[in-house]
Amino acid sequence: MNYSYIIIDDDQESVLKTKAIADSFSELTFVASAHNYVEGLNLILEHTPQLVFLEIDPVDKKSMLSLALINELHRYLKVIPKIIVTTRKKDLAFEAIEYDVTAYMLKPLSRIDFVKSILKLKKADGEEEKILAQSPPEPQEEKPVSFVHHETLSQQKPLILCIKSYGDYRYIDARDICYLQADNNSTDIHLNSGEMVTAFKTLKHFESALSYPFVRIHNSYIVNCNYISRIHTGNAVCYIKNTTTKLPFSKSYKINIDLIISEISNGNYLEI
């Protein structure tokens, strides 16, 4: 998912630094920047971005930048953009949490802060989609009971890939896929059993069809993150569990590697 964003900060140098990091993420699309409360409010109401980077402890107090901007947004908008606070002090973190901000990032900003914030956004959006999908239908939208039951079951079951070829239906549990490898206009699907299955679809097709834990790391590879045992950023390779397989990752997909590393560290994790 992509997020349009606005930067509201009284320090032009900070605006440029925030934009420089944000521009390295394909998920983020810059809209505009503002240097004070009034400009920021007007930009948000005009462009309705999905994301706002907001300074709440400005150098120039005349800019009037603060968390009060969020309250003002509630007067005009039904859907409030996600707010990421960017500031120099920790003092306002508790107050910011009470305003239900998405993230609180301390300056100088770092790339990993952005990685974590994007992961939080994607995770929150994914959970919201699940809730909407599982919500009961509106009274006026009557559906056959059998159809609703089928939807519920499909949400609970693991994803099954059907590789169809000339009347042959091959069913693969997505959890058994270690990685996918491009082979011209076809894709080789490598399973945890050591078996390989060829599908006559491009890797780009699978990239659009599969969501996390499947992540593209190279023009030729999509990896199931659950099968990664090691990531060597110096050699730009990922190791696959219980095999001698090493998958290269390219610079153009380095952000995806950062996301994988961050996501793994968000689990039951101990770094030594």
Side-chain angles (χ1 to χ4, degrees):
M1 182 173 181
N2 293 327
Y3 301 90
S4 59
Y5 73 92
I6 283 175
I7 302 172
I8 304 177
D9 195 322
D10 66 311
D11 185 343
Q12 178 61 20
E13 185 178 351
S14 291
V15 170
L16 295 175
K17 288 180 179 178
T18 300
K19 184 177 182 297
I21 300 177
D23 282 350
S24 66
F25 292 84
S26 60
E27 294 91 342
L28 302 180
T29 302
F30 177 70
V31 175
S33 64
H35 298 95
N36 59 55
Y37 179 99
V38 174
E39 287 179 0
L41 177 62
N42 291 341
L43 278 179
I44 294 172
L45 298 182
E46 179 182 354
H47 297 285
T48 59
Q50 291 143 312
L51 188 60
V52 174
F53 293 95
L54 174 64
E55 170 63 76
I56 59 172
D57 185 27
V59 175
D60 181 5
K61 300 304 179 184
K62 293 180 181 179
S63 68
M64 299 179 64
L65 294 180
S66 71
L67 290 165
L69 177 64
I70 301 175
N71 282 341
E72 190 68 8
L73 292 176
H74 282 280
R75 293 182 57 195
Y76 301 101
L77 300 176
K78 288 185 178 180
V79 179
I80 305 301
K82 307 288 186 184
I83 306 293
I84 294 181
V85 169
T86 59
T87 191
R88 297 169 182 79
K89 300 177 182 178
K90 297 179 181 179
D91 305 0
L92 299 171
F94 181 76
E95 185 179 354
I97 291 172
E98 292 184 322
Y99 278 80
D100 198 27
V101 301
T102 297
Y104 191 97
M105 300 198 302
L106 292 176
K107 296 177 179 178
L109 305 180
S110 67
R111 183 178 176 81
I112 192 61
D113 290 331
F114 278 75
V115 170
K116 291 177 179 178
S117 295
I118 291 173
L119 282 173
K120 283 183 180 179
L121 286 170
K122 289 184 173 181
K123 185 176 181 181
D125 289 339
E127 289 175 351
E128 184 176 343
E129 287 177 2
K130 287 179 182 179
I131 291 171
L132 291 173
Q134 293 171 354
S135 298
E138 296 293 331
Q140 64 272 24
E141 295 179 356
E142 295 182 3
K143 293 182 180 180
V145 175
S146 59
F147 181 65
V148 175
H149 179 62
H150 176 265
E151 284 188 327
T152 304
L153 288 176
S154 66
Q155 290 162 5
Q156 295 173 347
K157 290 182 178 180
L159 176 64
I160 301 297
L161 269 65
C162 177
I163 310 301
K164 187 173 70 171
S165 177
Y166 302 105
D168 180 17
Y169 295 76
R170 173 65 187 270
Y171 300 104
I172 300 174
D173 189 328
R175 295 174 300 182
D176 295 335
I177 299 173
C178 295
Y179 64 96
L180 300 93
Q181 182 177 4
D183 184 9
N184 294 321
N185 290 325
S186 63
T187 299
D188 294 332
I189 302 172
H190 295 262
L191 306 179
N192 57 12
S193 63
E195 186 181 1
M196 184 192 76
V197 179
T198 298
F200 294 99
K201 296 287 185 181
T202 64
L203 195 67
K204 186 173 182 62
H205 172 84
F206 283 100
E207 182 183 16
S208 62
L210 298 173
S211 58
Y212 192 88
F214 293 93
V215 177
R216 188 153 188 178
I217 60 171
H218 190 279
N219 284 339
S220 298
Y221 294 101
I222 292 174
V223 67
N224 181 343
C225 299
N226 293 329
Y227 286 94
I228 293 177
S229 63
R230 178 182 176 189
I231 296 175
H232 197 302
T233 56
N235 293 336
V237 292
C238 293
Y239 293 73
I240 301 300
K241 287 180 182 178
N242 304 320
T243 72
T244 58
T245 302
K246 295 185 290 184
L247 304 182
F249 60 84
S250 55
K251 288 183 178 180
S252 56
Y253 291 99
K254 178 60 166 58
I255 175 57
N256 289 355
I257 294 297
D258 292 339
L259 290 171
I260 292 170
I261 293 172
S262 181
E263 183 66 18
I264 292 173
S265 68
N266 283 337
N268 191 5
Y269 176 81
L270 175 62
E271 188 171 302
I272 301 173

